[in-house]
Amino acid sequence: MIKLQEFHYVFDIETIPLPKEQRMFSKPTEDSIKYGNLKDPIKRKDKYDEALVAWETGEDAALRPETGRVAMIGICTEDNPVEIIEGGETNDEISILCEFWDTLGEMTRDRDMVIGFNSNNFDVPFLIKRSLILGVEVFPCFRLDISHYHPSIFIDLMQMWAFGVKGEYISLKYLCGAMGIPVKEGSVEGKDFFKWWAGGNEKRELCREYCRQDVDATRNLAVRLGY
């Protein structure tokens, strides 16, 4: 378990698709494809084939906790280096989740915060749902907090930047660019993360650096926004 002394954490998660045998329930069928008003049998087959290829490659699977899994979590406190939680040599997801929740501890004090970017829409629900699927204990304070209209532990900087405007989306890179905050550079892109992750040790190190840069950018943004 990472031993961090402060109680303001900044974090980011990276996810990858589950192996195909663990997501067979989500394999496209003729009945599950939304064809709309498409009647042409050739075009319908093309649409089905596209959906099947996307399923085979796991193109969107990493974005859902039912079909994806946590590959790593970057986490830090105000002035400490970013630590990467990745479950040892086997990249065991249960170990990743347990270490993350154990690192946070049972945060019940008013000053405790866990800060991310678009984290209340993605990262936190993903972590909690994967924990429930795998039988990993999550402290009640976390499950209750993320269910509130205005969470007090989980601070989402994207939501803070929206200042009450519903449905407003902005990327971390875009907002950091506007703020003059250095943000990630390198070959890895979020949408292709799982491909890099599957590319061996050298490419996995690039994935770790990608995650570290995201956390660093989020930390710097948190300072600029007063957190």
Side-chain angles (χ1 to χ4, degrees):
M1 181 173 64
I2 301 170
K3 299 296 185 182
L4 301 175
Q5 300 304 313
E6 296 89 344
F7 295 94
H8 288 57
Y9 296 94
V10 181
F11 81 110
D12 182 56
I13 73 171
E14 305 297 343
T15 63
I16 57 176
L18 285 169
K20 284 191 291 186
E21 60 270 18
Q22 293 182 35
R23 50 186 174 88
M24 289 298 296
F25 64 91
S26 67
K27 188 174 181 178
T29 65
E30 284 288 344
D31 293 333
S32 69
I33 301 295
K34 296 180 180 179
Y35 293 108
N37 294 323
L38 193 62
K39 304 296 184 184
D40 187 311
I42 295 177
K43 292 181 178 179
R44 286 171 66 95
K45 183 179 185 306
D46 287 344
K47 188 167 184 176
Y48 173 78
D49 289 344
E50 287 175 9
L52 191 59
V53 169
W55 180 85
E56 289 279 350
T57 60
E59 193 171 297
D60 297 321
L63 300 178
R64 295 189 59 92
E66 301 86 0
T67 55
R69 51 153 296 190
V70 180
M72 64 170 59
I73 304 173
I75 187 169
C76 69
T77 52
E78 284 97 338
D79 299 318
N80 289 305
V82 178
E83 300 279 354
I84 300 294
I85 302 173
E86 56 181 321
E89 293 183 4
T90 60
N91 191 236
D92 176 58
E93 188 183 16
I94 289 178
S95 296
I96 294 171
L97 294 167
C98 287
E99 185 170 352
F100 176 75
W101 298 122
D102 287 347
T103 296
L104 297 188
E106 190 167 8
M107 303 174 78
T108 57
R109 296 169 300 180
D110 291 340
R111 70 178 184 272
D112 295 342
M113 291 191 295
V114 185
I115 301 169
F117 193 89
N118 196 28
S119 48
N120 289 0
N121 286 326
F122 181 71
D123 303 62
V124 179
F126 198 104
L127 289 167
I128 292 175
K129 289 174 182 179
R130 286 304 297 167
S131 297
L132 291 172
I133 288 170
L134 295 171
V136 173
E137 182 180 3
V138 180
F139 289 118
C141 62
F142 296 130
R143 295 175 61 172
L144 288 172
D145 188 71
I146 196 60
S147 300
H148 290 164
Y149 185 68
H150 289 295
S152 59
I153 294 175
F154 294 111
I155 305 301
D156 185 335
L157 297 183
M158 191 181 81
Q159 290 181 356
M160 297 300 101
W161 182 251
F163 288 100
V165 178
K166 305 302 179 188
E168 182 171 292
Y169 176 83
I170 187 171
S171 72
L172 176 63
K173 187 173 183 178
Y174 191 91
L175 182 53
C176 285
M179 292 279 189
I181 296 171
V183 73
K184 55 194 172 192
E185 298 176 355
S187 305
V188 181
E189 294 286 344
K191 61 184 177 61
D192 294 324
F193 180 90
F194 72 98
K195 296 177 184 176
W196 286 84
W197 182 256
N201 290 333
E202 185 175 337
K203 289 188 175 180
R204 283 201 179 183
E205 184 52 42
L206 294 176
C207 291
R208 295 181 189 104
E209 184 56 28
Y210 171 86
C211 185
R212 289 188 192 100
Q213 289 177 357
D214 258 0
V215 178
D216 272 330
T218 302
R219 170 166 51 185
N220 291 333
L221 182 61
V223 173
R224 290 289 297 277
L225 296 180
Y227 289 95

